[in-house]
Amino acid sequence: MKIAVFVSGRGSNLNALLNLPDLKKLVSIVAVVSDKIDCKAFDIAKEYRIETFSIGEGEGRVSKYEITSVLKNLDVNFIVLAGYLKLIPDELLKNFENRIINIHPALLPSFGGKGMYGMNVHKAVFNSSAKVSGASVHFVDNTYDTGKIIAQKCVDISDVKSAEEIAERVLTIEHQILPEVVKAFAENRVKIESNRVVILK
Ligand code: GAR
């Protein structure tokens, strides 16, 4: 499976995908795409000699109309949003139906939607007094965080003293669940059955 990973920031989930030994045999990350001109995740991509693309207007960037053909020319057949904070262009959604997934740092359908990313999510969870949080991996559609949920993992946060502590615990879970789900797709073990998504063992 040839993957493009979309990022906007630090790239720790990209790193997790690059470092799971099991995954190396099954998938190759051939492009790292961002809405930013530069970001920390691009440094990781460059270290691994993976091509980087910045979506936007202007010199050296790829427009949202061109990105589909750029990825198709690289034979990309699966897209992972790993901390990507923008909506996906319609053309790309159409061409990669049920082939774009996102990791969200909370238990959807709670704590999702526009503006709910990164620390905003963890602050909202902290302020809600919830006793568990976790990570969700879901299919991407044309709105924020509403696609079908593929996998979730919980973490106990009953004793945390800050939103930062929640972020730390959830990130550990993210780095497990995202590579696991990508592996399941690469092994063709993800099925959509009567409106639910099932990962076969
Ligand atoms: C991750 O926690 C990811 O779940 C979150 O951004 C962070 C990116 O970290 N994504 C969202 O909040 C999307 N709504 P990373 O760049 O180190 O992987």
Side-chain angles (χ1 to χ4, degrees):
M1 193 162 80
K2 287 196 179 176
I3 299 186
V5 180
F6 281 42
V7 293
S8 294
R10 126 195 96 173
S12 72
N13 277 292
L14 168 65
N15 212 34
L17 288 172
L18 285 163
N19 283 301
L20 189 79
D22 274 13
L23 215 49
K24 283 186 190 151
K25 291 171 245 149
L26 292 168
V27 306
S28 87
I29 299 174
V30 297
V32 172
V33 179
S34 183
D35 54 311
K36 303 279 191 313
I37 291 174
D38 207 3
C39 60
K40 284 210 177 112
F42 272 3
D43 296 340
I44 299 173
K46 283 168 193 157
E47 228 174 88
Y48 284 81
R49 296 178 199 286
I50 301 167
E51 268 197 88
T52 59
F53 301 93
S54 167
I55 300 181
E57 298 304 321
E59 181 76 27
R61 303 188 80 187
V62 177
S63 81
K64 65 179 183 180
Y65 306 102
E66 292 164 332
I67 189 69
T68 304
S69 58
V70 166
L71 297 182
K72 291 222 153 192
N73 286 339
L74 289 170
D75 289 331
V76 167
N77 44 26
F78 196 78
I79 296 174
V80 178
L81 312 190
Y84 185 71
L85 303 180
K86 289 274 162 68
L87 288 175
I88 293 299
D90 285 343
E91 180 73 11
L92 201 53
L93 284 175
K94 232 186 291 157
N95 278 273
F96 287 83
E97 205 191 348
N98 291 337
R99 305 294 291 168
I100 309 181
I101 64 169
N102 177 47
I103 176 109
H104 184 76
L107 296 173
L108 293 173
S110 296
F111 305 109
K114 192 169 164 52
M116 287 300 255
Y117 59 85
M119 280 312 294
N120 294 351
V121 178
H122 303 301
K123 283 179 190 158
V125 172
F126 185 73
N127 291 333
S128 76
S129 188
K131 301 300 175 207
V132 287
S133 191
S136 305
V137 180
H138 63 93
F139 283 116
V140 171
D141 58 19
N142 58 359
T143 55
Y144 289 104
D145 306 323
T146 53
K148 279 189 183 40
I149 296 168
I150 302 162
Q152 291 184 304
K153 255 189 189 169
C154 311
V155 64
D156 182 358
I157 54 163
S158 54
D159 60 340
V160 297
K161 301 279 183 287
S162 67
E164 286 71 20
E165 233 179 298
I166 300 177
E168 212 174 289
R169 287 188 196 183
V170 170
L171 196 63
T172 306
I173 300 280
E174 290 184 47
H175 294 165
Q176 296 163 4
I177 192 175
L178 186 60
E180 275 170 21
V181 170
V182 171
K183 184 165 181 270
F185 272 100
E187 292 173 339
N188 203 21
R189 286 188 289 112
V190 181
K191 307 284 171 209
I192 301 174
E193 288 176 3
S194 52
N195 224 27
R196 293 181 66 81
V197 184
V198 179
I199 298 182
L200 306 174
K201 295 276 174 224

